[in-house]
Amino acid sequence: MYKPLGTFPLLLLAAWPFHSAIAQNKPANTKDSVQQKKLGEVVISASRRPVTLDHVPSSVTVVSKKMLENDMSFTTDVTDILAREVPGMAPGSQTNSNVGQGLRGRSVLVMIDGIPQSSPLRNGEVDLRSIDPAVLERVEVLKGATAIYGNGATGGLINYITANPMGNKPISGRTSVNMTGGLVGLKNSVGGRFSQMLQGRAGKWDYITSGVYEQTGEYKDANGQLVGPNYSLGETETWNAYAKVGYHINSRQKLQLMYNFFRSQQNSNYTLVNGDISKGIPATGVLGKTAGVPTGSKGNHNVHLVYQADSLIGGTSLTADAYLESRDDIFYVSFGRFEGGDGQSHTLDKKKGLRLMLNSSLLNRNGFSGNISYGADLLNDITSQPLVDGRVWVPEMNMLNAAPFAETQFTFWQDLILKAGVRIENVGVKVKDYTTLRLTNADGSTITPAINVAGGNLNYTAKLFNAGIRYNKLPLFMPYFSFSQGFSVSDVGLALRDSKVNDIKKINTEAVLVNNYELGFVTEHRGLRFEFSSFLSTSKLGADMIFDPNTGLFNVSRTPERIYGFEAALSYAVLKNLDLSASYSYLEGKADTAKTGGSYNVYLNGRRIAPPKMTATIAYRPIKALEVRAQYMGVQGRDRFVKNAKGVYNGNEGPVKVYNLVNLGASYKLNAKTMFTMGIDNLFNEDYFPARSQWFMQPGFYAKGRGASFNLGIAITY
């Protein structure tokens, strides 16, 4: 149970909704609109109402449609795209799993148009691969703890914004075909991709629909050897079906329905051969039938209905939406781990949600303007993790989450932005009586016995605040500061399945409350934009996965944590046809294992803290129809731990060695309707282990990264 932390004076202003009919209809030649054009008119969802990027007093990265299309000439793996484009995000692993790929050392809430894909009840860490990037308009990444969209975003949120209909034709479309494969070990590595999009407008209706199919070949490393098949994206079949239909009731009201289906499963012709970490021998595979059913996302369904109304009484706007989400994610087979034989688990997650938000102007006179967004969220999330054969590993958890919220934003003298908000979480989780599975060693001896556990209700309440300030007077130095809180029920399912007691009330299922402090600034001058942000993230309880070498199991450590770091990002239009961008991010974190209240004595492991990361991109357009891009990502080393008594590193604590990756891509527009694309991933055929392969210290996941590979495509619009 969390108690209120105090009252922010700015929130008192939210109680008096002074309205102005012209609050959001300023003349185009005002200083404010000129400033927006200078700083960019990117619309984001860092608050519950759309705002421009220069009005956000915290660090946000927007991956635009253009950036997505450029990156897709190398890879369609959205986890790899985000790792290259988002400072502060951990590097990807080129697998179906995003284990360890958090933001600023904490968990991420992944959403599609605001629909949560993550389930903090049982975090399977597969939520980043929830949709194909071809149907996205952009990706909005808010870094640092936030409660804007509910619990689970202790490290930030990633919102996949789906495409909207464009143009005024009754029908138009785009067809693209790609061929992919390895440049080293071409045999059996060739794959293909087909994407079809149609869109149009007719009267009050508009629509967009899309279908994507992709089949990858075998993934080969820099030596032409098969990459270990555990969760590999090689030999993977992906489907995505997307549709959005809108009806404009009148000039101020709109109704929109969206549906998206995503499936991505590996059907490998190989069985796993474990790697030998001590000798540097990578995991690979031999021909043979893979045990169990195909791993990956068996199906992820999202349905979203939105009603929007503008300029109601007093200029108030209304957004009401309802959504359904259902997903089934299948994991690899655990041999000899469970009583009764081998087991393969899958997470089942079903969500139903309702949201209501009103936005009203507060005042607009004498250089002052403001607004308040207020409403409530209601979410029912039912999550479990059974084995595929029906045995119960994690029982069904039925969560009901109700949360009223309010958020204000004020602009003073058109340059000083103040923002403050509050959200009250009320969470209840129901669990029926269940029995844990007895876990065994390879010889069948018991590691943990089966225990009959009495179910019951788990209840959480939390009052969460955010506040920020930004000053945009001087383009050369636009500083900002923010304080925000995040809340998560912190993988209740993991605690339930590993229970050593007979009653859930005796299990430590206390939620995680995170305080995030951020200080940064933006510099803009002509074609240059530079942003620097530093942050500190603290929590009285953590959820660190600690490996026990005696049992071979991971346990959750609930100790105080302190994480800090900084990020820098630069973009520069050197010439009209030459653009440069670069970024650097650094992160460190420690835990107070003795719970002394201030002595953070143990480093957080690699699952939480990513090594430093550098990125850079050069885009050159020698002629109007041709663009050539070179992309770099460098993952620096991290070595914080010592070997255990057995002479090996504990799980999640392996040292990470440096590796550097370069991509080369080009796009050529033959005419107004036809474009050719070419991409080479890992241009210099770097022989490396991705960061997760190194720190995870699991022989089955000690797989190398993909060697040099190609992607050739043609796209036709009409």
Short mmCIF file of all heavy atoms in Angstrom, two decimals, residues 55-105:
data_model
loop_
_atom_site.label_atom_id
_atom_site.label_comp_id
_atom_site.label_asym_id
_atom_site.label_seq_id
_atom_site.Cartn_x
_atom_site.Cartn_y
_atom_site.Cartn_z
N HIS A 55 7.24 21.06 -26.67
CA HIS A 55 6.47 21.33 -25.46
C HIS A 55 6.58 20.20 -24.44
O HIS A 55 5.82 20.16 -23.47
CB HIS A 55 5.00 21.57 -25.81
CG HIS A 55 4.72 22.98 -26.24
ND1 HIS A 55 5.29 23.52 -27.37
CD2 HIS A 55 3.94 23.94 -25.70
CE1 HIS A 55 4.87 24.77 -27.50
NE2 HIS A 55 4.06 25.05 -26.51
N VAL A 56 7.53 19.30 -24.63
CA VAL A 56 7.69 18.16 -23.73
C VAL A 56 8.93 18.37 -22.86
O VAL A 56 10.05 18.43 -23.38
CB VAL A 56 7.83 16.85 -24.53
CG1 VAL A 56 7.99 15.67 -23.57
CG2 VAL A 56 6.62 16.64 -25.42
N PRO A 57 8.78 18.45 -21.54
CA PRO A 57 9.93 18.67 -20.65
C PRO A 57 10.61 17.37 -20.22
O PRO A 57 10.88 17.15 -19.04
CB PRO A 57 9.29 19.39 -19.46
CG PRO A 57 7.91 18.83 -19.39
CD PRO A 57 7.50 18.55 -20.80
N SER A 58 10.86 16.48 -21.17
CA SER A 58 11.55 15.22 -20.88
C SER A 58 12.08 14.68 -22.19
O SER A 58 11.81 15.21 -23.26
CB SER A 58 10.61 14.21 -20.21
OG SER A 58 9.47 13.97 -21.00
N SER A 59 12.84 13.59 -22.10
CA SER A 59 13.49 13.04 -23.28
C SER A 59 12.56 12.11 -24.04
O SER A 59 12.02 11.15 -23.48
CB SER A 59 14.75 12.28 -22.86
OG SER A 59 15.40 11.73 -23.98
N VAL A 60 12.37 12.40 -25.31
CA VAL A 60 11.50 11.62 -26.18
C VAL A 60 12.21 11.38 -27.50
O VAL A 60 12.86 12.28 -28.03
CB VAL A 60 10.16 12.35 -26.44
CG1 VAL A 60 9.29 11.56 -27.40
CG2 VAL A 60 9.42 12.59 -25.13
N THR A 61 12.10 10.17 -28.03
CA THR A 61 12.61 9.87 -29.36
C THR A 61 11.44 9.46 -30.24
O THR A 61 10.65 8.61 -29.86
CB THR A 61 13.64 8.73 -29.33
OG1 THR A 61 14.78 9.14 -28.58
CG2 THR A 61 14.09 8.36 -30.73
N VAL A 62 11.33 10.10 -31.40
CA VAL A 62 10.30 9.75 -32.37
C VAL A 62 10.99 9.12 -33.58
O VAL A 62 11.80 9.76 -34.24
CB VAL A 62 9.48 10.98 -32.80
CG1 VAL A 62 8.45 10.58 -33.86
CG2 VAL A 62 8.78 11.60 -31.60
N VAL A 63 10.68 7.85 -33.83
CA VAL A 63 11.20 7.17 -35.01
C VAL A 63 10.18 7.36 -36.12
O VAL A 63 9.09 6.78 -36.09
CB VAL A 63 11.43 5.67 -34.73
CG1 VAL A 63 12.06 5.00 -35.95
CG2 VAL A 63 12.33 5.49 -33.51
N SER A 64 10.50 8.19 -37.09
CA SER A 64 9.54 8.59 -38.12
C SER A 64 9.33 7.49 -39.15
O SER A 64 10.07 6.49 -39.22
CB SER A 64 10.04 9.85 -38.82
OG SER A 64 11.21 9.56 -39.56
N LYS A 65 8.31 7.70 -40.00
CA LYS A 65 8.04 6.77 -41.09
C LYS A 65 9.25 6.64 -42.00
O LYS A 65 9.61 5.53 -42.44
CB LYS A 65 6.82 7.27 -41.88
CG LYS A 65 6.42 6.39 -43.05
CD LYS A 65 5.80 5.09 -42.58
CE LYS A 65 5.21 4.31 -43.74
NZ LYS A 65 4.63 3.02 -43.31
N LYS A 66 9.89 7.76 -42.31
CA LYS A 66 11.06 7.75 -43.17
C LYS A 66 12.19 6.93 -42.55
O LYS A 66 12.85 6.14 -43.23
CB LYS A 66 11.52 9.19 -43.42
CG LYS A 66 12.84 9.32 -44.18
CD LYS A 66 12.75 8.79 -45.59
CE LYS A 66 14.02 9.10 -46.37
NZ LYS A 66 14.03 8.43 -47.70
N MET A 67 12.41 7.10 -41.24
CA MET A 67 13.46 6.33 -40.57
C MET A 67 13.13 4.84 -40.59
O MET A 67 14.02 4.00 -40.79
CB MET A 67 13.62 6.84 -39.13
CG MET A 67 14.12 8.28 -39.05
SD MET A 67 13.87 9.03 -37.41
CE MET A 67 15.06 8.13 -36.43
N LEU A 68 11.88 4.49 -40.37
CA LEU A 68 11.47 3.08 -40.40
C LEU A 68 11.71 2.49 -41.78
O LEU A 68 12.25 1.38 -41.90
CB LEU A 68 9.99 2.96 -40.03
CG LEU A 68 9.62 3.20 -38.57
CD1 LEU A 68 8.10 3.29 -38.41
CD2 LEU A 68 10.17 2.10 -37.67
N GLU A 69 11.33 3.21 -42.82
CA GLU A 69 11.52 2.70 -44.18
C GLU A 69 12.99 2.53 -44.50
O GLU A 69 13.39 1.54 -45.14
CB GLU A 69 10.85 3.64 -45.18
CG GLU A 69 9.33 3.62 -45.12
CD GLU A 69 8.69 4.63 -46.06
OE1 GLU A 69 9.41 5.55 -46.53
OE2 GLU A 69 7.48 4.51 -46.31
N ASN A 70 13.83 3.48 -44.06
CA ASN A 70 15.27 3.35 -44.30
C ASN A 70 15.83 2.12 -43.60
O ASN A 70 16.60 1.35 -44.18
CB ASN A 70 16.00 4.60 -43.81
CG ASN A 70 15.75 5.80 -44.69
OD1 ASN A 70 15.30 5.68 -45.83
ND2 ASN A 70 16.05 6.98 -44.18
N ASP A 71 15.45 1.92 -42.33
CA ASP A 71 15.98 0.79 -41.57
C ASP A 71 15.47 -0.54 -42.10
O ASP A 71 16.16 -1.57 -41.99
CB ASP A 71 15.60 0.93 -40.09
CG ASP A 71 16.40 2.01 -39.39
OD1 ASP A 71 17.52 2.28 -39.82
OD2 ASP A 71 15.90 2.59 -38.42
N MET A 72 14.27 -0.54 -42.68
CA MET A 72 13.72 -1.79 -43.21
C MET A 72 14.45 -2.26 -44.46
O MET A 72 14.24 -3.40 -44.91
CB MET A 72 12.22 -1.63 -43.48
CG MET A 72 11.38 -1.60 -42.22
SD MET A 72 9.64 -1.28 -42.54
CE MET A 72 9.19 -2.73 -43.50
N SER A 73 15.30 -1.41 -45.03
CA SER A 73 16.14 -1.88 -46.13
C SER A 73 17.26 -2.78 -45.61
O SER A 73 17.91 -3.48 -46.40
CB SER A 73 16.73 -0.70 -46.91
OG SER A 73 17.64 0.03 -46.11
N PHE A 74 17.49 -2.78 -44.29
CA PHE A 74 18.47 -3.68 -43.67
C PHE A 74 17.78 -4.85 -42.99
O PHE A 74 18.19 -6.00 -43.13
CB PHE A 74 19.30 -2.94 -42.62
CG PHE A 74 19.94 -1.67 -43.11
CD1 PHE A 74 19.70 -0.47 -42.49
CD2 PHE A 74 20.80 -1.69 -44.19
CE1 PHE A 74 20.28 0.71 -42.93
CE2 PHE A 74 21.39 -0.52 -44.65
CZ PHE A 74 21.13 0.69 -44.01
N THR A 75 16.75 -4.54 -42.19
CA THR A 75 16.08 -5.58 -41.39
C THR A 75 14.65 -5.14 -41.10
O THR A 75 14.36 -3.95 -41.02
CB THR A 75 16.82 -5.79 -40.06
OG1 THR A 75 16.13 -6.76 -39.27
CG2 THR A 75 16.92 -4.50 -39.25
N THR A 76 13.78 -6.12 -40.94
CA THR A 76 12.40 -5.84 -40.53
C THR A 76 12.19 -6.17 -39.06
O THR A 76 11.06 -6.11 -38.57
CB THR A 76 11.40 -6.63 -41.39
OG1 THR A 76 11.70 -8.03 -41.30
CG2 THR A 76 11.46 -6.18 -42.83
N ASP A 77 13.26 -6.52 -38.36
CA ASP A 77 13.18 -6.81 -36.92
C ASP A 77 13.09 -5.49 -36.16
O ASP A 77 14.06 -4.75 -36.06
CB ASP A 77 14.41 -7.61 -36.49
CG ASP A 77 14.44 -7.85 -34.99
OD1 ASP A 77 13.39 -7.72 -34.33
OD2 ASP A 77 15.53 -8.16 -34.46
N VAL A 78 11.91 -5.20 -35.62
CA VAL A 78 11.69 -3.91 -34.97
C VAL A 78 12.56 -3.75 -33.72
O VAL A 78 12.92 -2.62 -33.36
CB VAL A 78 10.20 -3.72 -34.64
CG1 VAL A 78 9.77 -4.64 -33.50
CG2 VAL A 78 9.86 -2.27 -34.34
N THR A 79 12.96 -4.84 -33.07
CA THR A 79 13.82 -4.74 -31.90
C THR A 79 15.20 -4.21 -32.29
O THR A 79 15.81 -3.43 -31.56
CB THR A 79 13.97 -6.09 -31.18
OG1 THR A 79 14.67 -7.02 -32.01
CG2 THR A 79 12.61 -6.67 -30.83
N ASP A 80 15.69 -4.61 -33.46
CA ASP A 80 16.98 -4.13 -33.95
C ASP A 80 16.87 -2.68 -34.42
O ASP A 80 17.76 -1.86 -34.19
CB ASP A 80 17.47 -5.03 -35.08
CG ASP A 80 18.93 -4.77 -35.44
OD1 ASP A 80 19.74 -4.61 -34.51
OD2 ASP A 80 19.24 -4.72 -36.64
N ILE A 81 15.75 -2.34 -35.06
CA ILE A 81 15.53 -0.96 -35.51
C ILE A 81 15.54 -0.01 -34.32
O ILE A 81 16.19 1.04 -34.34
CB ILE A 81 14.21 -0.87 -36.29
CG1 ILE A 81 14.32 -1.62 -37.62
CG2 ILE A 81 13.84 0.60 -36.54
CD1 ILE A 81 13.01 -1.72 -38.38
N LEU A 82 14.82 -0.36 -33.26
CA LEU A 82 14.75 0.52 -32.09
C LEU A 82 16.10 0.63 -31.39
O LEU A 82 16.46 1.70 -30.89
CB LEU A 82 13.69 0.00 -31.12
CG LEU A 82 12.24 0.08 -31.61
CD1 LEU A 82 11.29 -0.54 -30.60
CD2 LEU A 82 11.84 1.52 -31.89
N ALA A 83 16.84 -0.46 -31.35
CA ALA A 83 18.17 -0.41 -30.71
C ALA A 83 19.08 0.57 -31.43
O ALA A 83 19.90 1.25 -30.80
CB ALA A 83 18.79 -1.80 -30.70
N ARG A 84 18.94 0.70 -32.74
CA ARG A 84 19.79 1.59 -33.52
C ARG A 84 19.31 3.04 -33.48
O ARG A 84 20.10 3.96 -33.62
CB ARG A 84 19.86 1.11 -34.97
CG ARG A 84 20.54 -0.23 -35.14
CD ARG A 84 20.48 -0.72 -36.59
NE ARG A 84 21.10 -2.02 -36.74
CZ ARG A 84 22.40 -2.23 -36.96
NH1 ARG A 84 23.21 -1.19 -37.05
NH2 ARG A 84 22.89 -3.44 -37.07
N GLU A 85 18.02 3.25 -33.29
CA GLU A 85 17.45 4.59 -33.39
C GLU A 85 17.18 5.27 -32.06
O GLU A 85 17.03 6.49 -32.02
CB GLU A 85 16.15 4.54 -34.20
CG GLU A 85 16.28 4.03 -35.63
CD GLU A 85 17.02 5.00 -36.53
OE1 GLU A 85 17.43 6.09 -36.06
OE2 GLU A 85 17.22 4.67 -37.72
N VAL A 86 17.13 4.53 -30.97
CA VAL A 86 16.70 5.10 -29.69
C VAL A 86 17.87 5.11 -28.70
O VAL A 86 18.27 4.05 -28.19
CB VAL A 86 15.52 4.31 -29.09
CG1 VAL A 86 15.07 4.94 -27.77
CG2 VAL A 86 14.36 4.26 -30.08
N PRO A 87 18.43 6.28 -28.38
CA PRO A 87 19.45 6.35 -27.33
C PRO A 87 18.85 5.88 -26.00
O PRO A 87 17.71 6.18 -25.67
CB PRO A 87 19.80 7.84 -27.27
CG PRO A 87 19.37 8.39 -28.60
CD PRO A 87 18.17 7.60 -29.00
N GLY A 88 19.63 5.13 -25.25
CA GLY A 88 19.17 4.64 -23.96
C GLY A 88 18.52 3.29 -24.01
O GLY A 88 18.23 2.69 -22.97
N MET A 89 18.26 2.77 -25.22
CA MET A 89 17.67 1.44 -25.36
C MET A 89 18.76 0.41 -25.56
O MET A 89 19.70 0.61 -26.33
CB MET A 89 16.69 1.39 -26.52
CG MET A 89 15.89 0.11 -26.56
SD MET A 89 14.41 0.29 -27.54
CE MET A 89 13.53 -1.18 -27.03
N ALA A 90 18.64 -0.71 -24.86
CA ALA A 90 19.65 -1.76 -24.91
C ALA A 90 19.70 -2.38 -26.31
O ALA A 90 18.69 -2.41 -27.02
CB ALA A 90 19.36 -2.83 -23.86
N PRO A 91 20.86 -2.90 -26.73
CA PRO A 91 20.97 -3.54 -28.04
C PRO A 91 20.13 -4.80 -28.13
O PRO A 91 19.87 -5.47 -27.13
CB PRO A 91 22.47 -3.85 -28.16
CG PRO A 91 22.99 -3.84 -26.77
CD PRO A 91 22.15 -2.87 -26.02
N GLY A 92 19.68 -5.11 -29.34
CA GLY A 92 18.86 -6.30 -29.56
C GLY A 92 19.69 -7.56 -29.64
O GLY A 92 20.92 -7.53 -29.66
N SER A 93 18.99 -8.70 -29.72
CA SER A 93 19.66 -10.00 -29.73
C SER A 93 19.39 -10.79 -30.99
O SER A 93 19.81 -11.94 -31.11
CB SER A 93 19.20 -10.83 -28.52
OG SER A 93 17.79 -11.01 -28.56
N GLN A 94 18.66 -10.21 -31.97
CA GLN A 94 18.32 -10.87 -33.23
C GLN A 94 17.53 -12.16 -32.99
O GLN A 94 17.72 -13.17 -33.66
CB GLN A 94 19.58 -11.16 -34.04
CG GLN A 94 20.37 -9.91 -34.41
CD GLN A 94 21.66 -10.22 -35.14
OE1 GLN A 94 21.92 -11.35 -35.54
NE2 GLN A 94 22.49 -9.21 -35.31
N THR A 95 16.64 -12.11 -32.00
CA THR A 95 15.81 -13.27 -31.68
C THR A 95 14.36 -12.82 -31.49
O THR A 95 14.05 -11.63 -31.50
CB THR A 95 16.28 -13.96 -30.39
OG1 THR A 95 16.00 -13.12 -29.27
CG2 THR A 95 17.77 -14.28 -30.43
N ASN A 96 13.48 -13.81 -31.28
CA ASN A 96 12.07 -13.52 -31.01
C ASN A 96 11.86 -12.93 -29.62
O ASN A 96 10.78 -12.46 -29.30
CB ASN A 96 11.24 -14.80 -31.13
CG ASN A 96 10.52 -14.88 -32.46
OD1 ASN A 96 9.93 -13.91 -32.92
ND2 ASN A 96 10.58 -16.04 -33.09
N SER A 97 12.89 -12.98 -28.79
CA SER A 97 12.77 -12.53 -27.40
C SER A 97 13.50 -11.20 -27.20
O SER A 97 14.58 -11.00 -27.75
CB SER A 97 13.37 -13.58 -26.46
OG SER A 97 13.53 -13.08 -25.15
N ASN A 98 12.90 -10.30 -26.41
CA ASN A 98 13.58 -9.06 -26.08
C ASN A 98 14.04 -9.03 -24.61
O ASN A 98 14.04 -7.98 -23.97
CB ASN A 98 12.72 -7.84 -26.39
CG ASN A 98 11.30 -7.92 -25.87
OD1 ASN A 98 10.41 -8.40 -26.58
ND2 ASN A 98 11.05 -7.44 -24.66
N VAL A 99 14.45 -10.20 -24.10
CA VAL A 99 15.01 -10.29 -22.76
C VAL A 99 16.20 -9.34 -22.64
O VAL A 99 17.11 -9.36 -23.46
CB VAL A 99 15.45 -11.73 -22.43
CG1 VAL A 99 16.30 -11.76 -21.16
CG2 VAL A 99 14.24 -12.63 -22.27
N GLY A 100 16.18 -8.48 -21.63
CA GLY A 100 17.28 -7.57 -21.39
C GLY A 100 17.25 -6.31 -22.23
O GLY A 100 18.11 -5.44 -22.05
N GLN A 101 16.28 -6.16 -23.13
CA GLN A 101 16.25 -4.98 -23.99
C GLN A 101 15.26 -3.97 -23.41
O GLN A 101 14.20 -3.71 -23.95
CB GLN A 101 15.86 -5.35 -25.42
CG GLN A 101 16.18 -4.23 -26.41
CD GLN A 101 15.96 -4.64 -27.85
OE1 GLN A 101 15.44 -5.71 -28.14
NE2 GLN A 101 16.36 -3.77 -28.77
N GLY A 102 15.67 -3.38 -22.28
CA GLY A 102 14.84 -2.40 -21.61
C GLY A 102 15.26 -0.98 -21.95
O GLY A 102 16.10 -0.74 -22.80
N LEU A 103 14.64 -0.04 -21.26
CA LEU A 103 14.97 1.37 -21.38
C LEU A 103 15.51 1.85 -20.04
O LEU A 103 14.86 1.68 -19.01
CB LEU A 103 13.73 2.19 -21.74
CG LEU A 103 13.44 2.46 -23.22
CD1 LEU A 103 12.10 3.18 -23.35
CD2 LEU A 103 14.54 3.28 -23.85
N ARG A 104 16.71 2.39 -20.07
CA ARG A 104 17.31 2.97 -18.87
C ARG A 104 17.28 2.00 -17.69
O ARG A 104 17.07 2.38 -16.54
CB ARG A 104 16.60 4.27 -18.50
CG ARG A 104 16.82 5.37 -19.54
CD ARG A 104 16.21 6.69 -19.12
NE ARG A 104 16.60 7.75 -20.05
CZ ARG A 104 16.21 9.01 -19.94
NH1 ARG A 104 15.42 9.37 -18.94
NH2 ARG A 104 16.60 9.91 -20.81
N GLY A 105 17.50 0.71 -17.99
CA GLY A 105 17.67 -0.27 -16.94
C GLY A 105 16.39 -0.78 -16.30
O GLY A 105 16.46 -1.51 -15.31
#
